[in-house]
């Protein structure tokens, strides 16, 4: 049912003037008359009696009027619950993210967000194991790849890169690989199960790194433990740049095979269930993270982004 037509009917019933009600809603007289006629056709009754001199409620219009007001009240209540038309956005937002990323970049921002939106409560589920959005009833999640799930949508938060790195102590003991094939002779730290990685080298050289055929001395599913093991010299590992950019700058980690780029466009994505309406609490949190993190990711300073696409506002 056309709620704009219902608004017109309620106003016309109060003013007993269709043209005046239409003007209040920004409708020319002809449009207002047509909108009201359409509503009457929908309900199957004349709601207003018109004459050349006056307008009056019909019997059916008088019966329909309280229901029309209730429809509008329910619409306003629903929109208010979603935060539309109301600066005081409220509700509980369930957000799943990598605990390692959250500790470094999200948790320091949480107090600011809560101060800015006092009506929103955050239910944060932080784990380096991927959580299912639909089964877990999450409003939003942070992922390092776009999922081929037709039930999800994604918004890019920021660019990222993947790099091979090791501690100076490890390289001093075991030597520095100069070609991806050299990795077969090295101890490798694997994060969960890693797939084969295609590498683009100097002079258009193409090669591969296959973690499953390497010496995986450690397989870890926790990001912080993964980085600590690398820093302590347990082996060579592939890290997200956001995780190790400070250590690389300080020299506590060293990038290995810097001339070989992984054939991928890694990025951080905010993923949410597909819906016709993005709720206000999710929209403001996405916009907040885009502004505080996506607009100037510290790990990408001085590096060329892998894509010309810039993060934008949430829809």
């Amino acid at each position: 049912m056309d709620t704009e037509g219902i608004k017109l009917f309620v106003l016309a019933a109060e003013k007993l003037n269709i043209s005046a009600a239409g003007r209040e809603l920004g409708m020319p007289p002809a449009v207002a008359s047509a909108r009201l006629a359409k509503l009457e056709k929908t309900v199957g009754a004349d709601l207003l009696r018109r004459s050349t001199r006056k307008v009056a409620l019909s019997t059916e219009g008088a019966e329909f009027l309280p229901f029309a007001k209730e429809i509008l009240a329910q619409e306003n209540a629903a929109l208010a619950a979603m935060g539309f038309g109301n600066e005081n956005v409220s509700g509980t937002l369930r957000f799943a993210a990598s605990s390692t990323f959250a500790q470094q970049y999200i948790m320091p921002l949480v107090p600011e967000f809560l101060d800015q939106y006092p009506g929103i409560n955050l239910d944060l589920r932080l784990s380096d194991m991927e959580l299912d959005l639909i089964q877990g009833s999450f409003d939003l999640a942070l992922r390092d790849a776009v999922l081929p799930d037709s039930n999800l949508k994604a918004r890019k938060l920021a660019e990222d890169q993947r790099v091979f790195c090791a501690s100076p102590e490890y390289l001093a003991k075991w030597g520095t690989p100069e070609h991806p094939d050299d990795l077969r002779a090295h101890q490798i730290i694997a994060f969960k199960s890693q797939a084969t990685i295609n590498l683009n080298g100097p002079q258009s050289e193409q090669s591969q790194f296959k973690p499953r055929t390497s010496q995986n001395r450690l397989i870890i599913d926790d990001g912080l433990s993964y980085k600590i093991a690398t820093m302590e010299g347990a082996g060579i590992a592939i890290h997200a740049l956001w995780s190790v950019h400070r250590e690389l700058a300080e020299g506590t980690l060293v990038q290995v095979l810097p001339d070989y780029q992984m054939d991928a466009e890694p990025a951080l994505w905010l993923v949410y269930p597909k819906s016709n309406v993005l709720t206000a609490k999710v929209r403001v949190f996405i916009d907040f993270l885009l502004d505080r993190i996506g607009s100037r990711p510290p790990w990408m300073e001085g590096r060329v982004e892998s894509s010309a696409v810039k993060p934008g506002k949430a829809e």
Side-chain angles (χ1 to χ4, degrees):
M1 190 172 291
D2 178 15
T3 54
E4 286 300 307
I6 294 175
K7 289 177 186 177
L8 175 65
F9 164 66
V10 171
L11 277 175
E14 292 173 352
K15 296 176 179 294
L16 295 179
N17 188 314
I18 298 173
S19 297
R23 282 194 299 271
E24 188 167 326
L25 296 174
M27 300 179 190
V31 174
S33 295
R35 202 69 173 261
L36 185 58
K38 181 179 179 181
L39 177 63
E40 290 176 324
K41 184 176 181 180
T42 300
V43 300
D46 292 333
L47 301 175
L48 296 171
R49 301 294 184 190
R50 294 94 153 168
S51 71
T52 56
R53 292 192 299 176
K54 66 178 182 179
V55 173
L57 269 174
S58 67
T59 302
E60 292 84 358
E63 293 175 350
F64 181 66
L65 184 59
F67 294 102
K69 290 180 177 180
E70 179 63 21
I71 290 171
L72 297 180
Q74 291 295 329
E75 180 190 37
N76 291 334
L79 292 176
M82 296 296 100
F84 292 96
N86 183 357
E87 293 181 356
N88 299 318
V89 183
S90 62
T92 297
L93 172 65
R94 287 175 55 82
F95 178 54
S98 156
S99 57
T100 311
F101 184 89
Q103 289 160 10
Q104 289 186 233
Y105 300 103
I106 294 179
M107 297 312 299
L109 300 174
V110 165
E112 180 186 356
F113 179 80
L114 295 177
D115 286 343
Q116 187 171 340
Y117 296 98
I120 295 181
N121 300 317
L122 291 177
D123 182 354
L124 304 180
R125 301 304 169 95
L126 307 178
S127 171
D128 287 324
M129 298 297 291
E130 194 171 282
L131 300 176
D132 188 286
L133 264 75
I134 306 301
Q135 290 186 0
S137 299
F138 290 104
D139 299 297
L140 187 69
L142 180 74
R143 297 281 170 82
D144 61 0
V146 178
L147 302 181
D149 189 333
S150 60
N151 293 317
L152 301 176
K153 287 186 177 181
R155 175 63 56 86
K156 184 185 288 187
L157 173 62
E159 297 286 344
D160 190 24
Q161 290 181 8
R162 297 287 186 271
V163 294
F164 290 100
C165 54
S167 70
E169 293 77 15
Y170 174 87
L171 296 176
K173 180 178 180 180
W174 296 94
T176 301
E178 298 180 358
H179 188 275
D181 290 344
D182 297 339
L183 293 172
R184 297 170 186 164
H186 282 268
Q187 300 183 63
I188 302 298
I189 308 171
F191 187 69
K192 296 183 289 186
S193 58
Q194 294 177 337
T196 297
I197 297 170
N198 296 317
L199 298 168
N200 298 318
Q203 300 177 345
S204 302
E205 177 191 348
Q206 302 289 317
S207 57
Q208 287 187 329
F209 170 61
K210 299 180 179 180
R212 293 179 180 178
T213 62
S214 302
Q215 299 184 54
N216 293 324
R217 300 298 306 281
L218 278 175
I219 300 176
I220 303 176
D221 67 355
D222 174 73
L224 180 57
S225 300
Y226 183 63
K227 183 164 72 172
I228 291 172
T230 311
M231 295 176 65
E232 293 299 322
I236 296 175
I238 298 173
H239 283 275
L241 190 59
W242 61 256
S243 177
V244 297
H245 74 103
R246 294 189 183 95
E247 289 76 13
L248 291 174
E250 294 166 355
T252 52
L253 285 175
V254 178
Q255 185 172 351
V256 176
L257 300 172
D259 294 332
Y260 290 85
Q261 303 298 317
M262 300 184 195
D263 187 14
E265 293 187 358
L268 293 167
W269 297 86
L270 294 168
V271 181
Y272 50 95
K274 183 179 291 186
S275 172
N276 292 330
V277 177
L278 186 61
T279 60
K281 63 183 179 182
V282 176
R283 189 177 66 252
V284 297
F285 192 55
I286 289 176
D287 288 346
F288 179 83
L289 294 179
L290 287 171
D291 180 66
R292 299 300 189 277
I293 299 175
S295 62
R296 48 188 180 277
W299 58 88
M300 292 301 296
E301 291 182 6
R303 291 179 179 258
V304 178
E305 293 187 356
S306 64
S307 173
V309 177
K310 303 290 185 182
K313 293 293 184 182
E315 297 172 347

